């Protein structure tokens, strides 16, 4: 056989190329690394630029806002001068009339100014304010002081022509101050005639309350009685469901007085299925005194006549001091410009403050009964006399709502209860079948005890004993045949015997513990049944006592 031929392959060229390629790859990696480094630097620089831009933007926005605020502040200062000049030019006389009227009323009270002086001043103001309703009122008051009846009548006629409602109210309040009762009621009846029951404000109700509480004196000619009856009739005829809506409103009002029965029926709350229905009815029965006391405080409050008169006199001052409707656009602009100055040119904050102030000052306009309802419900900024008036007028609706509040839970109050203790259930009409229920509960628990004991006994040590006997026999036999196996079997028999002995002891202990546990549970359950039935009897007694009487008049 020929010997194999040896082949020599020169790989040096390939190795050089591989080395060259590796070097090129290394250079590329270095280039990539340097590029990544440069990119990281660029990213850092971009981040810094972005931060600078943000800061620049923020600075620019602050600069722009500051310029806007400065410009707004400067404009407000300029505009405020203009608005006040317009007010002085167009309505300066109005302001003088208001100030003079207040001065005349005060001077009349103190008797410190001559009648001729008052007359001269008022006539000049009448000439300077040809459209203002208060100017002829001022002349009329001055004429009264000077006993010039003819001038007073002509001035009053002019005032009525300019604004009948405001004139009537102002003259009614002025006559009240002067104790001119008959004239006061003539004006008050004109003012009431202009009011609509469905469009009543708090101010309207303030004057109605003052009238009903005798602040204007005795209405001997009953000039205003008919208006009150008319308003009430208008609202009552506003819809077929009016009575129902009123009753529902006062039912909901009474719900807030519901008494919490927490802790009063501890056993029933834990084991009586119908406890929620019991709670609902009795909690309302228990709230009757609270509701009655609430309305009694309102209805029987002692009215401070002097304070009420001072309050009504203050409304006259407010009426006289109030700007005329013609002035209001400029007055509103003046308030806004002053707010801009207050907020250092922040126009948004200025507008928000003006809107908030307007909302506070605006009088909500609702119907008369709605105003009375709000007076009762509100807890602050309400005169006690107003609550008294409102309760007197709304008594029938309050009674209906209270009756619905009490009776709506009456139908769900149970005639019997279902007790649930452990997994036992029992029904009871009263506490008379306490013994029967306890006996039934005990029978039920004895059945559960028997089942529990049976479960304990099923863990019988007899198996251990049988195994011990078998192993003992095998051990004796094995001892003679195969001694090691026999010894093992005997040891096993001994262990099984010891196991049987321990299991028997544990079973006896478990039986004892089970019996003790069920004895305690039976005793506890019977006590809970007795306690729950006692509470149920107490609840039924409360209900029978309440229902044996007529439903209480909580607004008597």
């Amino acid at each position: 056989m020929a010997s194999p031929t040896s082949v020599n392959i020169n790989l040096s060229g390939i190795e050089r190329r591989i080395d060259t390629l590796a070097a090129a790859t290394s250079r590329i990696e270095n280039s990539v690394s340097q590029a990544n480094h440069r990119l990281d630097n660029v990213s850092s620089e971009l981040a810094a630029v972005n931060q600078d831009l943000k800061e620049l933007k923020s600075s620019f926005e602050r600069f722009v806002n500051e310029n806007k605020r400065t410009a707004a502040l400067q404009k407000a200062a300029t505009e405020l001068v203009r608005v006040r000049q317009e007010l002085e030019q167009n309505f300066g006389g109005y302001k003088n009339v208001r100030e003079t009227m207040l001065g005349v009323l005060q001077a009349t009270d103190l008797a410190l100014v001559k009648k001729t002086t008052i007359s001269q001043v008022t006539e000049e103001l009448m000439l300077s304010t040809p459209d203002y309703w208060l100017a002829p009122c001022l002349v009329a008051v001055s004429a009264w002081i000077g006993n010039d009846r003819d001038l007073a009548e002509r001035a009053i006629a002019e005032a009525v022509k300019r604004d009948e409602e405001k004139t009537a109210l102002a003259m009614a309040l002025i006559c009240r101050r002067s104790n001119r009762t008959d004239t006061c009621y003539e004006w008050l009846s004109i003012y009431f005639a202009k009011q609509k029951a469905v469009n009543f404000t708090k101010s309207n109700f303030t004057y109605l309350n003052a009238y009903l509480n005798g602040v204007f004196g005795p209405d001997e000619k009953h000039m205003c009685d008919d208006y009150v009856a008319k308003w009430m009739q208008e609202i009552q005829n506003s819809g077929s469901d009016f009575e129902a809506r009123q009753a529902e409103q006062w039912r909901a009002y009474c719900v807030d007085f519901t008494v919490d029965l927490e802790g009063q029926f501890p056993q029933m709350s834990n084991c009586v299925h119908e406890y929620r229905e019991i709670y609902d009815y009795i909690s309302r029965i228990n709230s009757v005194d609270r509701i009655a006391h609430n309305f009694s405080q309102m209805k029987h409050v002692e009215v401070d006549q002097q304070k009420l008169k001072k309050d009504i006199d203050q409304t006259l001052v407010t009426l006289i001091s109030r700007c005329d409707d013609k002035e209001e656009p400029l007055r509103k602009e003046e308030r806004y410009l002053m707010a801009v100055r207050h907020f250092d040119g922040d126009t948004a904050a200025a507008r928000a403050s003006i809107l908030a102030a307007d909302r506070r000052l605006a009088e909500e306009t609702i119907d008369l009964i709605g105003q009375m309802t709000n007076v009762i419900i509100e807890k602050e900024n309400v005169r006690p006399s107003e609550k008294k008036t409102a309760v007197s007028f709304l008594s029938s609706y309050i009674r209906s709502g209270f009756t619905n509040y009490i009776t709506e839970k009456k139908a769900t109050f149970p005639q019997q209860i279902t007790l649930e203790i452990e997994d036992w259930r029992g029904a009871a009409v009263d506490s008379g079948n306490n013994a029967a229920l306890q006996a039934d509960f005990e029978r039920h628990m004895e059945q559960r005890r028997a089942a529990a004991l049976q479960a304990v006994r099923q863990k019988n040590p007899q198996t251990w004993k049988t195994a011990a006997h078998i192993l003992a026999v095998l051990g004796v036999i094995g001892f003679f045949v195969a001694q090691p196996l026999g010894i093992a079997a005997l040891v096993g028999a001994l262990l099984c015997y010891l196991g049987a002995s321990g299991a028997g002891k544990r079973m006896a202990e478990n039986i004892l513990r089970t019996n003790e546990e069920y004895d305690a549970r039976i005793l506890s359950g019977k006590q809970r049944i007795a306690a729950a039935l006692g509470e149920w009897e107490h609840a039924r007694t409360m209900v029978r006592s309440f229902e044996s009487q007529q439903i209480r008049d909580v607004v008597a």
Side-chain angles (χ1 to χ4, degrees), residues 377-389:
I377 293 174
E378 290 176 7
K379 294 179 172 57
E380 298 178 355
N381 301 322
V382 178
R383 298 180 182 90
S385 61
E386 292 179 345
K387 287 184 176 288
K388 181 176 184 176
T389 298

Side-chain angles (χ1 to χ4, degrees), residues 143-415:
W144 277 352
I145 295 171
N147 294 318
D148 189 340
R149 184 181 182 86
D150 180 60
L151 177 60
E153 290 179 350
R154 285 186 284 113
I156 286 297
E158 179 60 24
V160 169
K161 187 187 301 181
R162 294 183 182 184
D163 194 318
E164 183 178 17
E165 182 175 345
K166 290 179 181 177
T167 298
L169 179 58
M171 297 310 296
L173 297 174
I174 291 170
C175 289
R176 193 217 69 75
R177 285 168 54 90
S178 304
N179 294 319
R180 300 187 180 189
T181 303
D182 289 343
T183 307
C184 170
Y185 275 117
E186 289 177 6
W187 286 114
L188 193 62
S189 64
I190 294 173
Y191 172 73
F192 281 165
K194 303 290 288 184
Q195 310 310 313
K196 300 296 182 183
V198 295
N199 193 26
F200 233 71
T201 65
K202 287 184 178 180
S203 296
N204 297 148
F205 183 69
T206 296
Y207 300 123
L208 174 60
N209 174 66
Y211 161 70
L212 294 171
N213 282 282
V215 170
F216 296 100
D219 186 9
E220 295 177 350
K221 297 181 180 179
H222 304 287
M223 302 176 82
C224 296
D225 285 348
D226 291 343
Y227 289 110
V228 181
K230 173 177 171 289
W231 290 331
M232 297 296 288
Q233 191 65 39
E234 283 179 14
I235 300 172
Q236 289 167 352
N237 294 337
S238 63
S240 58
D241 63 339
F242 173 78
E243 300 282 345
R245 284 188 283 111
Q246 282 296 306
E248 170 56 24
Q249 183 165 25
W250 292 111
R251 182 208 65 79
Y253 176 80
C254 290
V255 168
D256 290 339
F257 292 85
T258 302
V259 174
D260 185 5
L261 299 182
E262 184 67 32
Q264 189 168 346
F265 300 108
Q267 286 303 327
M268 282 204 299
S269 65
N270 289 326
C271 65
V272 171
H273 181 72
E274 297 83 6
Y275 177 69
R276 185 72 252 174
E277 290 75 15
I278 297 170
Y279 178 100
D280 287 343
Y281 190 34
I282 293 181
S283 63
R284 297 200 173 192
I285 290 174
N286 286 356
S287 70
V288 173
D289 287 342
R290 293 179 64 188
I291 296 171
H293 177 69
N294 173 67
F295 287 116
S296 178
Q297 282 187 312
M298 297 182 192
K299 189 170 183 179
H300 299 293
V301 68
E302 185 176 347
V303 177
D304 187 340
Q305 284 281 337
Q306 294 305 314
K307 184 178 185 307
L308 196 52
K309 288 177 180 179
K310 288 181 180 179
D311 290 345
I312 291 301
D313 286 344
Q314 185 58 45
T315 64
L316 173 60
V317 173
T318 302
L319 176 65
I320 292 172
S321 304
R322 188 178 299 149
C323 297
D324 192 67
D325 293 342
K326 296 176 184 177
E327 299 175 66
E328 189 54 33
L330 282 173
R331 293 292 180 190
K332 188 172 183 179
E333 189 175 357
E334 180 187 31
R335 291 195 298 273
Y336 168 71
L337 294 172
M338 290 175 66
V340 172
R341 287 205 316 184
H342 175 75
F343 289 101
D344 293 327
D346 189 339
T347 56
R351 290 192 190 94
S353 69
I354 293 297
L355 287 174
D358 288 345
R359 281 195 295 269
R360 286 194 301 270
L361 294 174
E363 286 194 298
E364 184 182 11
T365 301
I366 54 178
D367 64 66
L368 173 57
I369 289 181
Q371 289 289 359
M372 291 182 178
T373 301
N374 288 345
V375 161
I376 294 174
I377 293 174
E378 290 176 7
K379 294 179 172 57
E380 298 178 355
N381 301 322
V382 178
R383 298 180 182 90
S385 61
E386 292 179 345
K387 287 184 176 288
K388 181 176 184 176
T389 298
V391 170
S392 297
F393 273 91
L394 301 182
S395 291
S396 61
Y397 306 129
I398 293 172
R399 290 188 187 98
S400 297
F402 172 73
T403 299
N404 292 348
Y405 163 75
I406 288 295
T407 57
E408 74 171 339
K409 297 298 181 181
K410 177 180 178 180
T412 58
F413 185 78
Q415 299 304 308

